[in-house]
Amino acid sequence: MKYRAFPALVIALLASLSTTAAPVSQQRLLSADSDTDNWLSYGRSYKEQRFSPLSEVNTDNVGELGLAWYFETDTHLGLETTPLVIDGVMYFTGAWSTAYAVNAATGELIWSFDPKVPREKSVTACCGVVNRGLAAWENKLFLGTVDGRLIAIDQTSGKQIWSSQTTDPDQAYSITGAPRVAKGKVFIGNGGSEFGTRGYVSAYDADNGEMVWRFYTIPGNPADGFENDAMERAAKTWNGEWWQYGGGGTAWDAIVYDPELDQLYIGVGNGAPHNRRIRSPGGGDNLYLSSVLALNPDTGEYLWHYQEVPADNWDYTASQQITLADIPWQGEQRKVILHAPKAGFVYIIDRANGELLSAEPFTTVTWASHYDMDTGRPVENEGQDYDGKPAVVYPSAIGGHNWQPMAYSPQTGLLYIPELDMGMPFDEIKGPDYKHLKRHFNTGYKLTQADASQRFTQALLKHLPKSHLLAWDPAKQEVAWKMPHPYIHNGGVLATAGGLVFQGTSDGRFLGVRADNGELLWTFNTQNSVLPGPVSYRANGEQYIAVAVGRGGALTMNTGKSFPTENPNNRIMAFKVGGSAVLPPVTVPDRPIPPPSLAMSDADVEEGRQLFQRFCSRCHGAYAVGDGSIPDLRYLEPIWHENFEAVVLQGLMEKAGMPRFDEALDREQVEKIHAYVIERAHEDHALRQESGWFADAKNAVIDVFARFMAWVIRTTTS
Ligand code: CA
């Protein structure tokens, strides 16, 4: 066989050779900025700026972007993944901690991996059985699973190499975050604060999965002794018997290695229960809740911390994305952390020592008036601690910005934040009335009194929830521009050297925007919500923009769906200039006629509503308005009504991911929940008879408002 006779084959062979996976070495990760074609780690480089240096797609031609390919998963369950792209292959994760490898130019499946997470684990996955991504090192990929395992997968074959259980399976820990890797170690945290856990981060040997170190983020019971001096110091800032509730402080998202200073930064989560008077009666800052914590990556030793929200009282995690940047600051270059977590401030922190340089609000903030720059502490506004008196507080417990990735462009010097401008009412449960339910969601507040409800509604009506793509100028400490979105809960952000920012929205649009001024240049209808951050890469010499598409995860599950159409299965979509792939059409489904109402008093149905909001709405949606990622209970077929109790109490569908609730609920309560669900089915049926499927603009507005109010009620009854 003569090569010259097969020029196409030769080219293909050479192309395949050039795309043969070179190991993702430490050196490659360190020089990711100049490795333009790839996306080697969760935030693209160790800086986690989510800035692609590619510029073939730019402000001149972004209007010609079209769908190049899509890969369809086999589920409606949420996709929060940021794909990795390594030498022509895309690696990403899906629901139930699955992983996939596909050809980055075609979307063709190469392998898939299923760690077979026991489905009953869904009960303690606060926000869906989602997963945000993988880490790559040498020829391995690392995956965290909902049941707390850290698994090394062979990058070429997709087979498991090793697996380590990083949590006590009997406790309510879960993993949804992406591992990070540096210096031969894999760093992994976990979630589960509200379910009664104590947060920690661990490092594992990338070669064999053996644990190298573990650092707890909050102290345990002092009677058991302290793991280190940092825990002993932290314990002085706690009171009462917080360890009975776990205390929280889980590190479920941001873990960032800084190669310049050889430090590891951890975004530490909220306190649990949220109400600090229950968690730590007698006060105290409750270190290291809601802090950025710097550790020695080799040993896990404490280096420094900056606590953003001392004595967190509102579920203000600091777990959100930590971005490293070198920025001009008052006449000199500073190495800083850019952080825009739930609490609603952009924090600029000197990453050498944790010194606070700036803390300015990027959204409506009422819990604090400002930061005292001498002490680095927030000044709380009176009454916002809801101590004995309910209060409407901004941001809500969902935060001014949550896990959806943000991006920083060194080209514009701007930080792009998927912002959520929304408040919520807090009405505390007094200590003696508080009942802690292990393995269920615990907050320590609620909404009970009708008068309080009216007052809250009025306050919230004055300031309806809004959401923006917001560009923040760190040097000027102010908003550079912001683009409003029609719906709340929008997706993560990518910035590129083409002068562009990409973001998906909850109402199903994927947007290309000018990075310098926010002008909208390109829109694509994805047919489904877009939640995670997009990525950009080059395959076969062409630049692609790719993003995971699909509802699911806490935000849309809580607030219901914004589409009348059937959910397509969740997908990865990749775009390129001139792409011409077409999505199959979506359909409007037939809905079953609801069964007759159960014979039950209004008071019992109301009790059913309250129970639903506490135990069911986190997945099936407030007011039983589902997002379609799991069954919408208003549209149950008769067989599920017949088996309602068996599903809820006896675990009939446990293997499919529907947990059993016999620890928390009795038969009478389940019947009341069932009665409420049937009433909601009737209400929805009547609404559809009257006006058809939310088709016109009027109904779209009602839908937005209903979903918001539903969310308010949901969050205040847990
Ligand atoms: Ca939380």
Side-chain angles (χ1 to χ4, degrees):
M1 190 184 288
K2 291 272 196 303
Y3 280 142
R4 87 177 72 120
F6 297 96
L9 180 67
V10 174
I11 289 165
L13 190 67
L14 288 175
S16 77
L17 281 178
S18 69
T19 58
T20 297
V24 178
S25 60
Q26 181 67 82
Q27 192 46 48
R28 250 190 115 176
L29 287 169
L30 289 171
S31 52
D33 282 346
S34 54
D35 195 341
T36 53
D37 289 7
N38 293 300
W39 191 284
L40 298 176
S41 61
Y42 184 67
R44 194 181 182 285
S45 75
Y46 278 132
K47 295 194 184 90
E48 305 231 355
Q49 295 180 348
R50 291 176 175 264
F51 173 78
S52 166
L54 295 174
S55 59
E56 285 96 316
V57 178
N58 53 52
T59 50
D60 291 335
N61 64 4
V62 64
E64 296 158 36
L65 272 187
L67 185 65
W69 57 261
Y70 65 92
F71 175 87
E72 186 152 318
T73 69
D74 59 0
T75 169
H76 293 176
L77 296 168
L79 274 192
E80 296 189 353
T81 188
T82 295
L84 304 184
V85 180
I86 306 167
D87 306 321
V89 180
M90 177 185 286
Y91 306 91
F92 60 91
T93 57
W96 293 115
S97 326
T98 50
Y100 302 82
V102 301
N103 182 316
T106 64
E108 198 184 344
L109 181 69
I110 298 169
W111 54 253
S112 64
F113 175 80
D114 182 355
K116 303 224 174 341
V117 172
R119 289 340 192 207
E120 57 270 25
K121 286 288 170 189
S122 66
V123 72
T124 51
C126 81
C127 310
V129 289
V130 291
N131 187 283
R132 285 185 293 281
L134 299 157
W137 178 262
E138 300 301 341
N139 286 313
K140 297 187 192 76
L141 298 168
F142 303 101
L143 168 72
T145 67
V146 164
D147 57 340
R149 284 172 285 163
L150 179 67
I151 297 177
I153 303 169
D154 183 299
Q155 190 183 316
T156 313
S157 69
K159 301 275 184 264
Q160 177 173 312
I161 298 171
W162 55 253
S163 172
S164 290
Q165 183 67 42
T166 74
T167 58
D168 176 351
D170 294 333
Q171 293 195 51
Y173 289 102
S174 56
I175 300 178
T176 57
R180 307 299 203 281
V181 62
K183 305 176 87 175
K185 294 176 193 69
V186 193
F187 307 107
I188 188 76
N190 46 57
S193 286
E194 286 81 2
F195 299 87
T197 63
R198 175 189 178 203
Y200 59 83
V201 178
S202 322
Y204 287 81
D205 187 317
D207 286 336
N208 54 28
E210 275 170 33
M211 191 169 89
V212 183
W213 57 256
R214 174 163 292 173
F215 186 89
Y216 282 92
T217 57
I218 64 164
N221 184 349
D224 299 337
F226 298 107
E227 290 87 358
N228 51 52
D229 294 347
M231 285 302 104
E232 190 166 0
R233 288 195 300 275
K236 297 194 172 80
T237 68
W238 290 74
N239 281 292
E241 299 190 343
W242 68 90
W243 59 90
Q244 309 266 31
Y245 310 125
T250 50
W252 52 268
D253 201 33
I255 299 174
V256 176
Y257 174 63
D258 178 351
E260 292 172 272
L261 301 178
D262 196 26
Q263 300 183 128
L264 190 72
Y265 309 115
I266 313 297
V268 182
N270 58 279
H274 299 169
N275 182 341
R276 63 191 176 199
R277 289 173 293 280
I278 294 172
R279 183 178 73 236
S280 180
D285 284 351
N286 295 182
L287 289 171
Y288 300 93
L289 293 179
S290 200
S291 300
V292 174
L293 194 57
L295 304 178
N296 179 323
D298 299 316
T299 62
E301 263 176 293
Y302 167 97
L303 298 173
W304 56 258
H305 77 275
Y306 173 69
Q307 189 175 40
E308 293 168 346
V309 185
D312 161 49
N313 204 22
W314 307 273
D315 194 11
Y316 287 161
T317 69
S319 322
Q320 283 67 37
Q321 181 175 329
I322 289 173
T323 288
L324 312 185
D326 296 349
I327 64 164
W329 185 257
Q330 296 170 355
E332 53 176 335
Q333 285 292 116
R334 292 287 281 264
K335 290 189 187 311
V336 301
I337 283 170
L338 299 174
H339 203 208
K342 279 186 179 182
F345 289 83
V346 177
Y347 301 93
I348 305 180
I349 300 165
D350 185 319
R351 58 188 212 252
N353 54 21
E355 183 199 347
L356 180 70
L357 302 182
S358 169
E360 294 294 330
F362 63 88
T363 184
T364 306
V365 172
T366 62
W367 68 273
S369 59
H370 66 286
Y371 275 70
D372 178 334
M373 294 309 291
D374 291 333
T375 61
R377 293 177 67 91
V379 179
E380 283 188 18
N381 279 322
E382 208 175 319
Q384 290 281 293
D385 62 357
Y386 60 95
D387 186 358
K389 204 173 155 214
V392 175
V393 181
Y394 291 77
S396 73
I398 284 183
H401 165 223
N402 207 301
W403 66 269
Q404 286 86 345
M406 57 182 192
Y408 173 76
S409 166
Q411 207 176 53
T412 60
L414 300 177
L415 181 67
Y416 302 95
I417 306 168
E419 175 248 22
L420 176 58
D421 179 2
M422 183 165 98
M424 78 178 237
F426 288 79
D427 185 1
E428 78 174 330
I429 299 169
K430 292 283 179 200
D433 299 331
Y434 176 73
K435 197 166 146 241
H436 193 78
L437 277 179
K438 276 220 161 96
R439 299 190 346 117
H440 292 280
F441 209 71
N442 298 281
T443 61
Y445 48 79
K446 60 178 174 177
L447 181 71
T448 46
Q449 297 162 3
D451 66 322
S453 166
Q454 271 174 11
R455 201 146 35 82
F456 288 150
T457 307
Q458 279 166 12
L460 291 160
L461 274 173
K462 277 193 212 143
H463 189 123
L464 283 173
K466 297 184 274 290
S467 174
H468 301 90
L469 171 56
L470 181 152
W472 182 264
D473 186 332
K476 292 186 182 157
Q477 308 173 67
E478 63 183 27
V479 174
W481 55 259
K482 58 183 189 176
M483 168 196 259
H485 292 312
Y487 285 82
I488 56 175
H489 302 324
N490 297 293
V493 185
L494 162 75
T496 76
L500 293 167
V501 172
F502 291 91
Q503 184 191 26
T505 66
S506 62
D507 61 330
R509 292 166 305 133
F510 190 40
L511 309 176
V513 175
R514 269 190 83 104
D516 54 358
N517 65 11
E519 186 191 344
L520 178 62
L521 298 177
W522 173 75
T523 303
F524 181 88
N525 174 14
T526 68
Q527 305 177 341
N528 209 329
S529 298
V530 187
L531 299 175
V535 300
S536 190
Y537 61 92
R538 204 191 269 127
N540 285 352
E542 288 184 285
Q543 184 184 351
Y544 290 78
I545 315 288
V547 70
V549 176
R551 272 156 265 173
L555 305 185
T556 72
M557 283 161 85
N558 279 335
T559 53
K561 68 198 292 178
S562 25
F563 300 76
T565 48
E566 191 73 85
N567 269 18
N569 279 332
N570 289 345
R571 295 165 170 150
I572 304 288
M573 295 187 192
F575 301 86
K576 66 176 182 179
V577 170
S580 58
V582 177
L583 295 172
V586 280
T587 53
V588 177
D590 285 335
R591 299 302 190 191
I593 305 286
S597 299
L598 299 187
M600 210 171 272
S601 71
D602 288 352
D604 284 347
V605 177
E606 168 58 20
E607 198 187 325
R609 182 190 71 79
Q610 289 180 21
L611 290 165
F612 182 94
Q613 301 296 10
R614 171 149 196 197
F615 293 100
C616 318
S617 68
R618 212 152 34 74
C619 296
H620 290 286
Y623 278 141
V625 178
D627 74 345
S629 65
I630 55 172
D632 188 314
L633 300 185
R634 297 170 304 166
Y635 309 137
L636 290 179
E637 297 292 342
I639 186 170
W640 299 117
H641 286 291
E642 287 157 27
N643 287 287
F644 198 87
E645 187 187 302
V647 171
V648 180
L649 287 186
Q650 284 130 44
L652 185 63
M653 294 304 287
E654 198 171 25
K655 292 287 172 248
M658 165 65 200
R660 55 194 294 165
F661 284 85
D662 46 345
E663 271 181 357
L665 296 168
D666 61 29
R667 294 183 64 177
E668 258 181 44
Q669 290 174 310
V670 172
E671 210 182 336
K672 288 171 185 169
I673 292 172
H674 193 189
Y676 168 69
V677 165
I678 293 173
E679 289 318 301
R680 288 292 298 125
H682 282 286
E683 285 166 18
D684 179 75
H685 185 69
L687 192 62
R688 274 182 290 132
Q689 299 302 107
E690 202 177 279
S691 60
W693 264 109
F694 299 107
D696 57 29
K698 183 183 132 212
N699 276 328
V701 171
I702 292 169
D703 184 39
V704 172
F705 184 69
R707 288 186 307 118
F708 164 65
M709 288 315 295
W711 176 83
V712 168
I713 302 298
R714 202 284 313 167
T715 45
T716 51
T717 47
S718 59

